[in-house]
Amino acid sequence: KDTPRCFGTVHARTPQYLLAGRWTPPCCLRALRETARHVARELEAAGVRYWLEGGSLLGAARLGDIIPWDYDVDLGIYREDAGKCRWLAAVAAEGRPVEDSEGFLWEKAAEGEFYRVHYSHSNRLHVDLWPFYPRGGVMTKDTWLGHPQDVEFPESFLRPLVPVAFAGFTAMAPNNARAFLELKFGPGAIENPEYPNPAVKRLVR
């Protein structure tokens, strides 16, 4: 926790280690798993409804873990529940990042209306928390970063949420992971892995 992560700024969703023909450093994967487990535990204890999003759900569906070349973890949450979590409430009240009792840093993301939980002040490996809210039976949110998979979806995927194995613990997920992922990534998303930005770097099978 006292040292930076093993890679620098991610450009075009492509971390430097991919361009070097490598996957996520093992130490960084361990720290990501620890951060994801910690955040999920805090959300569950507070009664915040959350689910695995995007590439993190892909990892759970494929191998029950973080994708070996991923660099963060994505969770969706119900926006109306955010205030139940003392750390998210503290971020909102104080208007600045807040370090919790185990050294994880909770903050409002600079890029928009979502939250980010870092492994520590020094190590910026993180979990992104995306606040969604229902509108006419469809889950939407206020910040869209232009990723192809970043789309609205029926709330029925979250009623109910179901447990899945992920990164060494049990996380919550949409009730039809395959349909959810194919809505976001297209047919065969689980069986056909790709790096985050195939236009920059393609996965050689």
Side-chain angles (χ1 to χ4, degrees), residues 101-123:
S101 53
E102 295 186 41
F104 296 87
L105 189 71
W106 300 65
E107 69 175 12
K108 171 98 164 18
E111 299 94 325
E113 297 302 312
F114 64 102
Y115 300 96
R116 186 162 277 161
V117 186
H118 298 277
Y119 187 50
S120 69
H121 270 284
S122 301
N123 192 319

Side-chain angles (χ1 to χ4, degrees), residues 49-65:
R49 291 166 291 176
Y50 80 92
W51 60 93
L52 293 170
E53 264 289 339
S56 299
L57 182 60
L58 266 179
R62 286 177 185 157
L63 47 105
D65 201 355

